[in-house]
Amino acid sequence: MRTAVIVFPASNCDRDAQSALAKITGRDPIMVWHRETELPDVDFVVIPGGFSYGDYLRSGAIAARSEIISDLKKKVEKGLPVAGFCNGFQVLTEAGILPGALMRNKSLKYICKPQPLTIVNSKSRFTTGYNGQKDVTFPIAHHDGNYYADKKTIDRLEKNGQVVFRYNGNPNGSINDIAGITNEAGNVLGMMPHPERAVDPLHGGTDGIELFKSVLGAL
Amino acid sequence: MSKKIKITPEVVKEHGLSEGEYEIILDRLGREPNINELGIFSVMWSEHCSYKSSRRHLGKFLTTGKRVIQGPGENAGVIDIGDNHAIIFKMESHNHPSYIEPYQGAATGVGGIMRDVFTMGARPIANMNALRFGEPSHPKTKSLVAGVVAGIGGYGNCVGVPTVGGETNFHAGYNGNILVNAMCVGLADQDKVFYSAAKGAGNPVFYVGSKTGRDGIHGATMASAEFDDDSEEKRPTVQVGDPFTEKLLIEACMELMATDAIIGIQDMGAAGLTSSSVEMADKGGVGIEINLDKVPQRETEMTPYEMMLSESQERMLMVLKPGKEQLAFDIFNKWELDVAQIGKTTDTGRLVLKHKRKTVCDIPIAPLGDDAPNLDRPHVPTPQRDVLAASDARPPTDYNDAMLKIMSCPDVASKRWIWEQYDRHVMADTMDSSQSGGDAAIVRVHGTNKAVAITTDCTPRYCYADPVEGGRQVVAETYRNLCSVGAEPIAITDCLNFGNPERPEIMGQFVGCVEGMNEACRALDYPVVSGNVSLYNETNGVAIPPTPAVGGVGLIDDVEKHATLAGAKAGDTLVLIGKTEGWLGSSLYGREVLGHERPDVALFYAPPPVDLASEKAAGAYVRRLIRDRRVTAVHDCSDGGLAVSAAEMAFSSGQGTSLKGHGDVPLHAWLFGEDQGRYLLAVDENSVNPVISTAQSKGLEARIVGKVGGDNVSADGAYDLTLSKLKDANEGWLPGFMAETA
């Protein structure tokens, strides 16, 4: 099982993602610098959290125009499973791979806390391993997590089962309490919470493990 | 600024130099300095860089120990945690800038302390901060809290280093001078620790990081004078931080440090290019020649004076081995950072600066350090305070009210509003942070089974009442904090914040605190490895309370064997280790319930004494209990005494706690007394007898004081409150305060 993590300047949860993937697959992921033009041949790609390019301009906006993104888009269309957590979700929306945008939190403050979530679609490729378990807690840590899309898009996401996670207690003002969505094909997940920080009982709990097992097991 | 500026007595005075100091400059140069040279002497001899008021006292500290690799004198202290791992850490103040411009002041404080740590080869793994604000009713307090917290978060979150803990106090004594003390802890390999000495002549000098601008010129001098009503005008001397560049700088430096290219490296902190080049050359016993035309500049027409004194952030100076230039260029270019070879080391022992093909400074380096003033300022001790007998302090009229008041007073109230704005988990190794309300944060050493414990502490009201005893107490409390989580305390860093040292009573507070701290360090075998001094925290003649903040670091050998507050379970017995006489002098109870500090009352009593021998014995015993898994939760007894300790354990574990009285001590003094050297343990029923009897066999006092369980937090004959009501009071104060509109 081979995995990769894309690293942008000031990605900073690259190590969190690396540790989680290594722990779950037993094999270190390949760390891919954003200036590369081609992704290595892997089964799953994570776009990590952080502050790519210092969140300057808009969160994720500059990273979404990196060299590596064109190849990422090509492989996404061919069905490569990809997950973006936190800043990774912002990059995916800015790159147009996922719909919508992440605006500043309603409180205008950065917020870091364990966040209860509800798994809305337990049949997605990222949630099958939860076996119907509905409630999980992942840490959140973001300033721009307030998910927004126009009504038509939201209706489509809801209808297609693309809303995978909802906040249980909305921390940031997201429409419909949306915490995580997939693309229409279901191979790309974007979410603000950090499942990669919930794979260790000594650090953030273990609720995130099944997410990785789901996507890797479905391969 | 033209080179033609005439050096008049007024110009000398504006540079903060005394007549006597200027005489020394004339003597060492054998001529009048030009303005650039005067500026360089001025910053190097400022209080901030030369420690001229404090140096002779700091020299008394215990700075060595079996785990000390590098004590004070480098960018940060280095300790040995085994397996070729080193922990590198330091705490530093950014008080003056944070008062003037809270967001940038605090942000650049965090950036600066991280650079001190990674400059030595350590990847920063945790940040802490010790904050002190004015009283909540002061008109500036709320905006300062909001700005400082946003600045700390804005910088640390972006760089991606977890902010794992700290402390926040509010007191009228900080109305005109808040304290922002930031601590950073980093992890390095012992054979990859980098120092600042620029050894050898003819080696290339490299500048990397951000461009130099006109920001922060004379910041070090600003930090060496009192504030007055015109301090707002000093805003241009505050620097602006760019955490994105800092993150790139960390990664690029780590990449270069993995090679063998670097001889010496130092960040450009206070007094920027001046202090970094002078200190590196001085330590290496060499001269240095810099071509200022090569310095990357953000603004046009910058003068040598401005370039040398700029405190633009996110810049590093390094001396490389000859032949490694291209390697450095390649790495820094990859990270899209400015990089320039700006000069070379020489064998002349002189600092020579060229600008537009002219020599604009040529001075010997040694006098900048060797001849820096080393003052023996007059100091008078703080008068002894009376001891307040427990029987002379009245009990509360209503215990429930008193308990609610203490748990919701600004110093005890939950700081969730603050720490939820900090990323506490990034890097995947935070095991315990502010989130659990524990005594120390716990951060795993990546990829291993061990962890470091980190704490910051200070009780300024004790230091104000009795600097020597307060000094002992602050060191002892950090020691206790580390033992409470099961860590072996190793060493401390300190940030000594005081008023104007030119006043003998303030200097007396400084000398007293240092004496007490040093006594504790020696008794506990707990050396000082780094730190800084911040003086002149005074506005219009009103000084802050003496605040020697201490950051302690300890080692947990096995991550499975640590304790937190959260582990207490229903049915556990509460056991108190340590002796209780019911000390209410300088207590929170005295201040919050009896109003001792109110201007119309103004009663200051002796603070609780610290028995350092039993402190050490109690610490060792508690660590052993944690290692042997004889306890489910541990909390030290500090502010607010046993009552607060038991309530906090209840908050963290979600279980109620009930305390009972002590026949020989008045009930209010038993509950709220702040006797030192005590730990509250939650112990499984079956372990109670051995825990108590072993303690007694070691000469430690140990007694059963209550139970864990139920929905209430109570004490027999005193208070009885639902856990949720008490928690709401504790959690409610700060968000309520921040939401109030003026």
Side-chain angles (χ1 to χ4, degrees):
Chain A
M1 195 68 62
R2 285 167 47 98
T3 60
V5 177
I6 300 178
V7 183
F8 302 100
S11 285
N12 66 29
C13 309
D14 44 341
R15 187 166 101 175
D16 307 43
Q18 184 180 26
S19 305
L21 291 170
K23 185 179 168 125
I24 287 155
T25 66
R27 200 166 164 185
D28 276 333
I30 302 169
M31 307 304 280
V32 181
W33 186 235
H34 70 116
R35 302 292 296 265
E36 304 282 323
T37 49
E38 205 175 325
L39 283 166
D41 182 20
V42 293
D43 305 305
F44 175 50
V45 172
V46 170
I47 307 182
F51 284 67
S52 59
Y53 291 96
D55 272 359
Y56 297 151
L57 186 58
R58 285 188 312 273
S59 307
I62 304 177
R65 279 131 189 102
S66 293
E67 281 93 328
I68 194 69
I69 298 294
S70 354
D71 192 49
L72 180 75
K73 282 183 177 168
K74 269 186 228 152
K75 292 191 168 137
V76 160
E77 283 185 17
K78 289 185 186 150
L80 175 71
V82 173
F85 306 129
C86 201
N87 189 225
F89 186 16
Q90 295 161 346
V91 172
L92 288 170
T93 57
E94 285 285 347
I97 297 172
L98 290 174
L102 283 313
M103 304 192 303
R104 185 123 294 195
N105 294 346
K106 200 174 166 195
S107 66
L108 303 182
K109 291 204 295 281
Y110 186 96
I111 180 152
C112 172
K113 63 172 195 168
Q115 174 65 49
L117 301 169
T118 305
I119 299 175
V120 187
N121 177 353
S122 41
K123 296 200 172 74
S124 91
R125 157 194 311 241
F126 299 91
T127 50
T128 47
Y130 287 96
N131 286 326
Q133 179 191 342
K134 289 286 176 204
D135 298 316
V136 288
T137 296
F138 297 158
I140 55 167
H142 60 250
H143 211 157
D144 300 319
N146 181 354
Y147 184 76
Y148 177 82
D150 58 48
K151 185 167 183 309
K152 227 169 91 186
T153 308
I154 296 287
D155 289 348
R156 197 177 65 234
L157 291 175
E158 296 284 5
K159 195 173 116 246
N160 293 347
Q162 286 174 251
V163 176
V164 180
F165 293 99
R166 253 191 254 283
Y167 297 113
N168 186 353
N170 191 332
N172 54 27
S174 288
I175 288 188
N176 288 10
D177 302 329
I178 289 174
I181 57 168
T182 61
N183 61 348
E184 210 171 329
N187 61 320
V188 180
L189 169 74
M191 61 190 299
M192 288 312 295
H194 286 275
E196 84 284 18
R197 291 186 184 179
V199 295
D200 180 348
L202 288 174
H203 170 79
T206 53
D207 279 359
I209 293 175
E210 289 307 326
L211 184 145
F212 293 96
K213 286 195 172 163
S214 302
V215 60
L216 294 165
L219 292 170
Chain B
M1 219 169 281
S2 111
K3 282 192 293 291
K4 292 284 194 291
I5 288 175
K6 195 166 151 46
I7 308 300
T8 62
E10 290 71 43
V11 172
V12 172
K13 195 162 173 260
E14 275 169 23
H15 280 79
L17 291 161
S18 70
E19 281 173 38
E21 288 165 2
Y22 187 60
E23 287 298 320
I24 300 174
I25 297 174
L26 291 177
D27 177 71
R28 297 302 184 268
L29 297 187
R31 61 173 167 82
E32 199 173 83
N34 65 30
I35 188 72
N36 305 320
E37 295 165 341
L38 186 74
I40 289 168
F41 272 100
S42 153
V43 291
M44 290 307 296
W45 288 5
S46 69
E47 187 70 59
H48 195 79
C49 292
S50 74
Y51 294 88
K52 59 182 159 190
S53 302
S54 58
R55 209 152 80 232
R56 64 180 58 238
H57 303 288
L58 301 177
K60 296 172 192 159
F61 272 134
L62 172 71
T63 57
T64 54
K66 62 180 193 301
R67 285 188 181 271
V68 176
I69 296 174
Q70 173 67 51
E74 277 289 337
N75 286 297
V78 185
I79 56 171
D80 177 359
I81 58 159
D83 311 312
N84 195 36
H85 293 130
I87 288 291
I88 301 187
F89 67 103
K90 189 183 179 187
M91 176 155 55
E92 200 165 71
S93 60
H94 231 215
N95 304 334
H96 297 82
S98 300
Y99 185 75
I100 295 173
E101 213 300 82
Y103 185 98
Q104 293 297 343
T108 55
V110 173
I113 196 64
M114 282 196 276
R115 281 195 298 287
D116 277 335
V117 164
F118 76 72
T119 212
M120 297 196 71
R123 178 173 284 281
I125 58 169
N127 286 332
M128 303 274 286
N129 50 75
L131 310 177
R132 272 147 188 114
F133 296 102
E135 60 193 330
S137 60
H138 188 271
K140 285 196 111 171
T141 299
K142 198 183 305 174
S143 65
L144 288 169
V145 173
V148 165
V149 171
I152 291 171
Y155 206 100
N157 296 344
C158 177
V159 171
V161 175
T163 301
V164 295
E167 50 169 351
T168 306
N169 287 164
F170 295 84
H171 191 275
Y174 305 102
N175 281 351
N177 292 79
I178 62 169
L179 301 184
V180 174
N181 296 172
M183 175 174 173
C184 178
V185 177
L187 173 68
D189 286 339
Q190 287 178 22
D191 53 4
K192 276 286 182 188
V193 175
F194 291 82
Y195 296 93
S196 55
K199 291 191 191 95
N203 295 321
V205 175
F206 268 65
Y207 169 117
V208 303
S210 294
K211 291 182 170 64
T212 295
R214 289 193 171 92
D215 46 343
I217 292 174
H218 272 310
T221 323
M222 173 178 81
S224 306
E226 276 183 49
F227 275 169
D228 54 33
D229 294 330
D230 300 327
S231 296
E232 293 281 334
E233 290 173 15
K234 291 183 176 160
R235 200 184 298 265
T237 58
V238 179
Q239 317 87 332
V240 175
D242 175 5
F244 174 54
T245 301
E246 177 106 338
K247 168 68 174 168
L248 302 185
L249 204 49
I250 293 177
E251 298 305 329
C253 287
M254 291 285 141
E255 205 169 316
L256 186 61
M257 283 164 167
T259 72
D260 64 343
I262 299 172
I263 293 174
I265 175 166
Q266 174 146 343
D267 80 301
M268 296 190 219
L273 193 50
T274 295
S275 68
S276 54
S277 57
V278 167
E279 285 170 18
M280 289 184 77
D282 196 28
K283 282 184 186 147
V286 297
I288 196 162
E289 187 178 311
I290 294 173
N291 180 352
L292 292 171
D293 299 326
K294 298 270 173 81
V295 171
Q297 293 159 52
R298 199 166 63 215
E299 300 175 60
T300 56
E301 301 296 320
M302 286 191 70
T303 64
Y305 182 92
E306 290 168 332
M307 276 187 258
M308 290 307 287
L309 300 188
S310 161
E311 291 189 4
S312 292
Q313 298 289 293
E314 294 94 21
R315 302 180 301 161
M316 312 282 278
L317 194 67
M318 48 182 81
V319 174
L320 300 182
K321 291 181 185 162
K324 300 291 182 185
E325 293 88 340
Q326 196 53 48
L327 178 69
F329 279 121
D330 290 346
I331 289 173
F332 290 105
N333 286 334
K334 170 188 162 188
W335 290 96
E336 299 177 37
L337 291 162
D338 272 295
V339 53
Q341 185 175 341
I342 61 167
K344 60 176 193 294
T345 56
T346 65
D347 59 4
T348 63
R350 299 181 76 82
L351 174 67
V352 177
L353 303 176
K354 308 265 176 144
H355 186 239
K356 300 191 171 160
R357 289 193 294 281
K358 285 192 183 128
T359 298
V360 295
C361 164
D362 185 353
I363 54 176
I365 285 168
L368 290 166
D370 296 349
D371 296 332
N374 184 358
L375 306 174
D376 189 4
R377 294 202 187 271
H379 49 90
V380 295
T382 301
Q384 285 289 323
R385 315 277 182 181
D386 293 338
V387 170
L388 174 65
S391 51
D392 289 342
R394 69 167 176 81
T397 40
D398 181 321
Y399 271 99
N400 279 348
D401 288 350
M403 189 60 183
L404 284 165
K405 183 158 195 187
I406 288 175
M407 293 312 296
S408 63
C409 79
D411 282 354
V412 176
S414 165
K415 304 302 181 301
R416 178 187 299 273
W417 187 92
I418 293 175
W419 50 254
E420 279 195 345
Q421 297 188 53
Y422 303 149
D423 189 340
R424 305 179 298 283
H425 312 298
V426 62
M427 298 182 84
D429 286 305
T430 304
M431 291 167 49
D432 202 25
S433 68
S434 323
Q435 203 163 302
S436 81
D439 293 305
I442 306 175
V443 178
R444 185 170 47 198
V445 175
H446 193 63
T448 74
N449 198 32
K450 59 188 184 186
V452 287
I454 314 162
T455 180
T456 64
D457 228 302
C458 184
T459 314
R461 65 178 185 279
Y462 295 167
C463 296
Y464 179 77
D466 180 343
V468 180
E469 202 62 76
R472 279 187 205 114
Q473 193 274 340
V474 52
V475 173
E477 184 162 353
T478 65
Y479 187 88
R480 217 176 297 144
N481 290 155
L482 297 173
C483 293
S484 295
V485 300
E488 173 202 345
I490 297 180
I492 64 170
T493 180
D494 60 37
C495 201
L496 308 175
N497 309 276
F498 291 82
N500 182 346
E502 294 160 37
R503 289 167 53 197
E505 66 276 20
I506 299 292
M507 198 60 209
Q509 292 176 339
F510 180 85
V511 173
C513 283
V514 168
E515 182 191 324
M517 289 170 70
N518 189 29
E519 239 179 74
C521 289
R522 288 178 189 274
L524 300 171
D525 190 17
Y526 187 39
V528 180
V529 295
S530 61
N532 104 313
V533 177
S534 172
L535 299 173
Y536 297 96
N537 291 290
E538 215 166 296
T539 295
N540 295 332
V542 180
I544 59 160
T547 313
V550 167
V553 173
L555 177 67
I556 297 173
D557 278 334
D558 176 352
V559 291
E560 301 294 338
K561 294 175 181 168
H562 73 275
T564 65
L565 273 65
K569 54 183 186 8
D572 283 350
T573 299
L574 291 173
V575 173
L576 184 69
I577 301 286
K579 194 171 174 194
T580 307
E581 286 174 347
W583 195 282
L584 289 172
S586 281
S587 67
L588 216 51
Y589 176 80
R591 186 176 85 189
E592 300 295 329
V593 178
L594 304 183
H596 281 169
E597 283 192 26
R598 279 207 327 258
D600 56 325
V601 180
L603 288 170
F604 296 94
Y605 294 102
V610 180
D611 175 344
L612 292 165
S614 42
E615 191 76 57
K616 194 169 183 178
Y621 183 54
V622 168
R623 293 199 304 275
R624 190 184 127 185
L625 291 176
I626 295 170
R627 229 176 18 246
D628 296 347
R629 301 172 197 276
R630 302 305 282 267
V631 287
T632 56
V634 180
H635 194 11
D636 81 324
C637 279
S638 55
D639 280 347
L642 178 60
V644 169
S645 195
E648 287 177 343
M649 196 176 270
F651 294 162
S652 192
S653 64
Q655 297 290 333
T657 51
S658 52
L659 295 172
K660 51 188 187 182
H662 180 304
D664 303 334
V665 181
L667 185 58
H668 62 300
W670 163 246
L671 293 171
F672 300 116
E674 295 181 7
D675 306 69
Q676 295 294 298
R678 298 184 303 161
Y679 295 84
L680 180 64
L681 314 177
V683 183
D684 182 87
E685 222 177 336
N686 300 319
S687 293
V688 174
N689 287 336
V691 163
I692 289 182
S693 59
T694 314
Q696 286 164 346
S697 75
K698 292 174 181 296
L700 291 164
E701 228 174 88
R703 60 189 300 140
I704 293 173
V705 297
K707 285 290 255 189
V708 177
D711 298 325
N712 282 24
V713 173
S714 66
D716 280 355
Y719 52 84
D720 189 358
L721 294 152
T722 62
L723 177 52
S724 63
K725 181 172 181 178
L726 196 57
K727 191 162 182 175
D728 286 349
N730 179 254
E731 291 278 354
W733 178 77
L734 186 53
F737 168 64
M738 294 308 293
E740 281 167 23
T741 46

